[in-house]
Amino acid sequence: MRVTIVGTGYVGLVTGACLAVMGNDVICLDKDVGKVERLKRGEIPIHEPGLDALVTTNAAAGRLQFTTDADEAIDHGQLIFIAVGTPPGEDGSADLSHALAAAGAIGRRMSSDKIVVNKSTVPVGTADLVRGAIEAELGKRGVPHRATVVSNPEFLKEGAAVADFMRPDRIVIGSDDEAAIRAMRALYAPYVRNHDRIMVMDVRSAELTKYAANAMLAARISFMNELALLAEDLGADIEQVRIGIGADSRIGTSFLYAGAGYGGSCFPKDVKALIRTGQQNGHALKLLCAVEAVNEHQKLELARRIRARLGDDLAGRHIAVWGLAFKPDTDDMREAPSVVLIEQMLAAGATVTAYDPAARAEAERLLGPRPGLAYASRAMDALAGADALAVVTEWKEFRSPDFERMKAVMRRPVVIDGRNLYDPATVRAAGLDYCGIGR
C-alpha cells in the first residue's frame, strides 16, 4: 500500500520504517529540512535498538523515503498517518496545534479520497477536530473529496518499539467506516498472521484506550513507589512484596518495580492530559491526581537519601550518577528523574559526574554547560573520588559491577540504588553503604 507518515519523530519514524518492512511504499514527511537531509543520509535522530538498520535497509530498497515536499507526500498516500507531537500545554492539556496543522495541510492538498489515521496520542474528540479541519480546507477549495478519519493509537515502548510494532499485543482501530476498517486490516494483516490481535471499536473509545493504558501503567508504578516508602518504615522488603503480589495472575509482574519515579514522553504527559480531560468534563480524577503527586515526590527521593548520608550542605561533595535516560535502551530524557537529581545536587553545592551509554549528547543539549557538571565515558570513570553513587537508570551494564573496585575508587562508598538492581547483602559485604528503595 502507499502510505504517508506526517512527522518523523519517535512514533512516525518507527511506524514508517516498520510498515516499509512489509513491502509498503512509505513516504515520511517533515518540515524540518535538516532532519530530513540527515535521515536521507541514514542518520537516525533517536536511540532505538534496531531502528537504524530498518531505516537504512528499506531506504536503500526504495520502500522508505523522506521529504519536505507536502504536495508530493499527500498525493502519494492512500493512507496518511498523522504522527506529530502533542506536548502538554500550561494547563496540562494536550497541544493539538501540530495535529490540526497537519490536518489543514492535508485538506489543502488532497486530490482524491484519503484515509487519515491519527497515530499521535490525542484527547477524545480529536478525530472530529481533524475531520473538521480537513473539511474546512476542502470547502474553501470547493472539491468533493472525502477524508475518512481513523484512530489508531500507538502502544510502543521506548527501547523496544521495533519489536512492539512487529509483534504487537494489540492493534486498536477506531472507526465506523467499513472501507477504512478493511484498509487498516489489510495494512496490519502481515503483523498478525499467527493470531488476530486487531481490535475494532468506535473512534472515541480508541482515543480513550490509549490514555487509559498509560494511566493504568503509571498508576502501578506510583502504587509500588508509595508502598516502597511504607515498606521501609515497616522493615519489609518491597522486592519480596513485588514477587509475592506479581505471582497473582490477576496482577501479573509488569510495572511493579519501585524506583526513582517514571518519566519519558508518554506517562507524565498522558496522565496530565487525562486529568485535564476529566476536569473539562466535570470529573475530578482523584486517583490520577494522586498518581501524579506520588511520582513527583518520588523523583525527590534519591536526593533525600544522599542528604541523609552526606548532610544538607553538599559543598565539596562529589556525586556520581549512573543513568541519564528515563529508561534503558533510549536516549530520551524528557521528565527523567536524573534531571531532578542533578539539579538538586548542583543547587546544594555538590559537583556531579554522570554516565549514560546513550544519552550523553541529549543531556548536554538539555542541561547545557553547568559549573560542577561533567560527563564520563565509562561507568567506572564516573566514580573517581565520588562521595555517593546514584543509580538512576537500569541499563544492563550497571547490573553486575565490580563492587570491590567501586569501593576502591570512591572517596566514600555510598550507593543509592534507585532501581533496586543489587542484592543489599552482596553490596554491603563488599564494604559499601547500600541504600535501595523500599528495602
Side-chain angles (χ1 to χ4, degrees), residues 2-4 25-27 71-78 114:
R2 298 189 310 278
V3 179
T4 293
D25 185 0
V26 180
I27 290 181
D71 293 331
E72 173 196 12
I74 291 168
D75 183 64
H76 168 84
Q78 298 163 278
K114 301 289 184 181

Side-chain angles (χ1 to χ4, degrees), residues 47-49 158-160 325 327-332 357-358 393 395-396:
H47 179 86
E48 183 61 42
E158 291 195 45
K327 64 180 289 187
D329 294 319
T330 182
D331 60 353
D332 192 344
T393 313
W395 286 96
K396 288 180 180 177

Side-chain angles (χ1 to χ4, degrees), residues 36-236:
V36 168
E37 290 303 315
R38 290 191 294 274
L39 285 167
K40 287 180 177 180
R41 295 194 298 268
E43 300 173 16
I44 310 303
I46 58 175
H47 179 86
E48 183 61 42
L51 181 59
D52 52 351
L54 289 189
V55 171
T56 301
T57 299
N58 287 284
R63 294 187 297 267
L64 180 62
Q65 303 175 61
F66 301 98
T67 186
T68 58
D69 187 338
D71 293 331
E72 173 196 12
I74 291 168
D75 183 64
H76 168 84
Q78 298 163 278
L79 293 94
I80 302 176
F81 283 74
I82 296 178
V84 296
T86 54
E90 291 184 4
D91 63 354
S93 61
D95 180 356
L96 298 178
S97 59
H98 300 300
L100 296 180
I106 293 168
R108 286 191 293 275
R109 293 171 173 84
M110 56 186 280
S111 57
S112 61
D113 291 354
K114 301 289 184 181
I115 297 172
V116 178
V117 184
N118 272 342
K119 198 70 174 172
S120 302
T121 300
V122 292
V124 175
T126 299
D128 295 335
L129 298 176
V130 167
R131 184 184 301 108
I134 295 173
E135 289 177 350
E137 294 297 334
L138 292 173
K140 293 176 185 177
R141 295 169 58 201
V143 293
H145 309 312
R146 180 171 179 262
T148 303
V149 180
V150 175
S151 175
N152 175 221
E154 54 86 12
F155 298 98
L156 306 177
K157 299 187 295 291
E158 291 195 45
V162 171
D164 285 346
F165 197 103
M166 301 302 289
R167 295 183 294 278
D169 292 327
R170 77 285 206 196
I171 296 169
V172 172
I173 297 171
S175 179
D176 57 6
D177 185 279
E178 290 301 322
I181 293 169
R182 284 196 301 273
M184 295 295 288
R185 282 190 177 276
L187 180 70
Y188 283 116
Y191 305 91
V192 295
R193 287 189 67 193
N194 64 334
H195 180 64
D196 188 359
R197 292 178 291 277
I198 294 176
M199 302 175 183
V200 178
M201 59 186 72
D202 65 270
V203 172
R204 286 179 172 246
S205 295
E207 291 172 332
L208 184 56
T209 295
K210 168 61 176 180
Y211 277 115
N214 279 353
M216 173 64 80
L217 297 175
R220 287 170 69 98
I221 294 170
S222 282
F223 172 78
M224 291 303 292
N225 281 334
E226 191 155 52
L227 207 61
L229 301 185
L230 176 61
E232 291 180 356
D233 292 337
L234 297 176

Side-chain angles (χ1 to χ4, degrees), residues 279-407:
Q279 293 170 342
Q280 291 170 339
N281 288 274
H283 295 280
L285 301 181
K286 298 176 184 178
L287 176 59
L288 291 187
C289 289
V291 167
E292 183 179 46
V294 168
N295 191 61
E296 292 306 306
H297 178 270
Q298 198 69 15
K299 289 182 179 181
L300 306 175
E301 277 297 309
L302 298 186
R304 186 184 69 79
R305 289 157 198 265
I306 290 172
R307 290 193 183 97
R309 281 159 174 77
L310 303 182
D312 290 333
D313 183 2
L314 298 179
R317 300 292 192 177
H318 185 59
I319 310 301
V321 174
W322 279 3
L324 293 164
F326 85 96
K327 64 180 289 187
D329 294 319
T330 182
D331 60 353
D332 192 344
M333 287 184 61
R334 284 172 287 187
E335 303 282 346
S338 63
V339 176
V340 176
L341 174 63
I342 290 171
E343 295 278 10
Q344 288 196 309
M345 294 297 95
L346 294 176
T351 55
V352 175
T353 298
Y355 167 75
D356 189 286
R360 175 172 176 170
E362 178 62 13
E364 291 175 334
R365 184 197 68 80
L366 183 66
L367 296 172
R370 299 284 186 94
L373 176 60
Y375 300 94
S377 299
R378 295 182 297 182
M380 282 294 172
D381 292 347
L383 300 182
D387 295 290
L389 163 66
V391 181
V392 189
T393 313
E394 62 273 32
W395 286 96
K396 288 180 180 177
E397 68 177 83
F398 301 155
R399 297 194 177 198
S400 187
D402 184 337
F403 294 118
E404 292 183 357
R405 184 181 172 198
M406 290 169 62
K407 184 177 185 298

Side-chain angles (χ1 to χ4, degrees), residues 415-434:
V415 175
I416 309 297
D417 184 1
R419 296 298 176 183
N420 288 343
L421 295 184
Y422 310 129
D423 172 55
T426 301
V427 180
R428 289 169 182 147
L432 295 128
D433 179 5
Y434 175 85

